[in-house]
């Protein structure tokens, strides 16, 4: 006789269903006995199956503040403003059992400054499976919303996707990459889910997290960093207040920002506009060392220094800020090693 067992996990009840083909009396009795034993075991330990299949439960979703703090301090290079803002924002939100609205973060800065990396660190310290969790959803403008003629269809699909996933797990996370390539008006379609509503059609979105990643506003951030450098002021003196207002206005008035005249900004739905500063030579060197360690290699200072030296910087003569950040470090370092 062939027996097929089906485990149904993460529902209101954990079930084991047995389907028998070519049933024989002895085998059937044995199967019934096994099923009864399993039923009794599950009745005694009702939550054991939740440890094997990802569920919308504390076993799989649990905020690790210490882990995020250590990761931001040790792994996110050259971003003191972003580190402080993100740690406070995420900690305050995750420690609040009854938030009034979803957490909405908009991360801005040039390529290679750490925006994608930070979203990975946040996911890692909330979800046991990090970015591979079934409750973390990544959208990339050029991959998921490529054609402007399909804008109305994208809006409907995006709304249904968010509604369906938050219905399944209120602690869902949605990451939108390449916001500067997003079609104007698309992101406005999810504005109701970011507002202060208790429920919408019976669904509460208040425990969800929305993260937007964009290169838009990078010029404003660079200009502030450059002004501080020209004035002989320490980079660490730059604070959120020096950047946030100008940043929000910049992306609101930029038709290529994804936030062009969007009600998300007009109605203050974005909790924090988080600036990522341009990286300096010393930060590129730090990235090189970290990359070698991640490859299981002993840091080769000569190779790292040469790689950092050969990259492009601005202003042209002073060579203060890296034009590429740390994004190309992995591929370039292999050449120098």
């Amino acid at each position: 006789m062939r027996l097929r067992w089906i485990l149904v996990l993460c529902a209101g009840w954990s079930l084991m269903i047995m389907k028998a083909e070519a049933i024989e009396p002895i085998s059937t009795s044995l199967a019934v006995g096994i099923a009864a034993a399993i039923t009794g075991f599950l009745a005694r330990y009702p939550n054991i199956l939740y440890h094997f299949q990802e569920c919308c439960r504390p076993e799989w979703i649990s905020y690790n503040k210490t882990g995020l703090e250590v990761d931001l301090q040790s792994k996110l290079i050259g971003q003191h403003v972003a580190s402080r803002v993100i740690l406070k924002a995420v900690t305050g939100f995750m420690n609040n059992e009854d938030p009034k609205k979803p957490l909405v973060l908009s991360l801005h800065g040039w390529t290679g400054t750490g925006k994608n990396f930070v979203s990975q660190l946040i996911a890692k310290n909330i979800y046991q499976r990090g970015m591979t969790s079934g409750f973390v959803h990544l959208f990339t403008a050029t991959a998921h919303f490529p054609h402007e003629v399909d804008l109305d269809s994208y809006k409907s699909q995006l709304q249904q996707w968010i509604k369906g996933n938050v219905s399944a797990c209120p602690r869902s996370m949605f990451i939108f990459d390449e916001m500067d390539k997003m079609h104007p008006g698309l992101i406005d379609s999810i504005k109701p889910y970011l507002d202060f509503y208790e429920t919408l059609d019976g669904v509460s979105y208040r425990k969800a997290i929305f993260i937007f990643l964009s290169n838009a506003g990078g010029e404003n951030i660079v200009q502030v960093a450059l002004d501080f450098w020209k004035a002989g002021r320490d980079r660490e003196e730059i604070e959120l207040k020096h950047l946030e207002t100008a940043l929000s206005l910049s992306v609101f008035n930029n038709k290529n920002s994804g936030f062009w005249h969007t009600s998300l900004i007009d109605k203050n739905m974005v909790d924090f506009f988080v600036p990522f500063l341009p990286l300096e030579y010393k930060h590129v060197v730090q990235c090189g060392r970290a990359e070698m360690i991640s490859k299981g290699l002993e840091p080769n200072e000569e190779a790292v220094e040469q790689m950092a030296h050969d990259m492009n910087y601005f202003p042209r003569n002073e060579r203060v800020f890296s034009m590429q950040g740390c994004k190309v470090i992995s591929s370039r370092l292999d050449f120098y090693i």
Side-chain angles (χ1 to χ4, degrees):
M1 184 191 78
R2 291 181 294 165
L3 296 176
R4 292 192 295 175
W5 301 89
I6 304 172
L7 285 177
V8 182
L9 309 177
C10 280
W13 297 90
S14 299
L15 303 176
M16 178 168 281
I17 303 172
M18 181 274 295
K19 182 178 180 180
E21 297 180 0
I23 298 177
E24 299 172 4
I26 296 178
S27 298
T28 302
S29 299
L30 178 61
V32 171
I34 293 173
I38 292 173
T39 301
F41 178 79
L42 292 178
R44 188 173 181 182
Y45 304 101
N47 295 326
I48 192 167
L49 293 180
Y50 294 127
H51 293 280
F52 299 96
Q53 175 70 33
E54 187 181 32
C55 308
C56 187
R57 291 169 55 92
E59 291 91 341
W60 293 94
I61 304 176
S62 180
Y63 177 53
N64 182 357
K65 175 183 181 280
T66 301
L68 181 59
E69 185 172 16
V70 170
D71 282 345
L72 291 172
Q73 289 178 352
S74 63
K75 298 178 181 178
L76 182 63
I77 296 171
Q79 302 298 347
H80 67 281
V81 178
S83 293
R84 293 169 189 167
V85 174
I86 288 169
L87 181 63
K88 289 183 179 180
V90 174
T91 299
F93 179 75
M94 292 301 296
N95 288 342
N96 186 353
E97 289 299 320
D98 187 27
K100 301 304 179 185
K101 67 180 291 295
L103 176 63
V104 183
L105 302 175
S106 191
L107 316 185
H108 296 265
W110 278 9
T111 298
T113 51
K115 302 183 298 298
N116 273 288
F117 185 54
V118 158
S119 64
Q120 295 169 20
L121 294 182
I122 294 173
K124 169 192 170 186
N125 287 287
I126 294 178
Y127 304 92
Q128 290 294 317
R129 290 184 175 174
M131 290 295 293
T132 63
S133 169
F135 308 121
V136 177
H137 312 281
L138 174 63
F139 300 94
T140 303
T142 53
H144 294 100
F145 316 110
H147 307 299
E148 189 171 2
V149 294
D150 296 323
L151 188 58
D152 289 338
S153 176
Y154 293 152
K155 289 181 179 180
S156 176
Q157 291 171 7
L158 186 56
Q159 290 171 341
Q160 291 303 314
W161 181 262
I162 292 174
K163 180 179 180 181
N165 282 284
V166 174
S167 298
C169 184
R171 283 290 190 193
S172 292
M173 178 185 290
F174 302 91
I175 302 170
F176 293 83
D177 196 8
E178 299 183 339
M179 278 296 297
D180 47 303
K181 297 179 178 67
M182 197 80 73
H183 299 298
L186 175 58
I187 211 65
D188 248 352
S189 66
I190 66 170
K191 184 261 179 186
Y193 307 138
L194 312 185
D195 216 327
F196 289 84
Y197 299 119
E198 186 170 347
T199 62
L200 281 173
D201 296 326
V203 180
S204 174
Y205 297 87
R206 292 183 169 188
K207 292 186 176 182
I209 297 177
F210 293 82
I211 302 177
F212 303 111
L213 313 179
S214 177
N215 293 340
E219 294 79 5
N220 299 69
I221 299 170
V222 168
Q223 188 59 54
V224 170
L226 197 56
D227 290 343
F228 268 72
W229 174 75
K230 288 179 178 178
R233 300 178 66 180
D234 195 310
R235 177 190 181 93
E236 297 294 323
E237 293 181 49
I238 300 176
E239 298 179 22
L240 182 63
K241 65 182 181 182
H242 296 126
L243 293 155
E244 190 173 34
T245 301
L247 189 55
S248 63
L249 290 174
S250 172
V251 298
F252 182 76
N253 292 310
N254 184 347
K255 193 170 184 177
N256 296 316
S257 72
F259 288 106
W260 185 63
H261 288 188
T262 177
S263 60
L264 268 66
I265 296 177
D266 194 31
K267 300 299 182 182
N268 299 309
M269 295 294 98
V270 178
D271 296 299
F272 293 97
F273 287 91
V274 186
F276 282 68
L277 300 171
L279 300 180
E280 300 176 10
Y281 174 85
K282 62 182 180 182
H283 301 129
V284 176
V285 171
Q286 288 178 291
C287 287
R289 292 195 193 106
E291 180 64 24
M292 291 198 70
I293 292 172
S294 72
K295 293 176 181 291
L297 303 172
E298 286 291 327
N300 183 326
E301 291 298 324
E302 183 179 354
V304 170
E305 291 278 353
Q306 187 62 52
M307 179 271 305
H309 179 270
D310 290 349
M311 293 182 69
N312 298 318
Y313 297 85
F314 70 95
R316 183 180 298 274
N317 294 328
E318 292 83 355
R319 290 171 53 88
V320 180
F321 300 114
S322 170
M323 297 181 68
Q324 298 143 307
C326 288
K327 193 162 189 174
V328 298
I329 294 293
S330 180
S331 57
R332 287 208 172 195
L333 197 55
D334 289 337
F335 172 79
Y336 289 91
I337 294 174

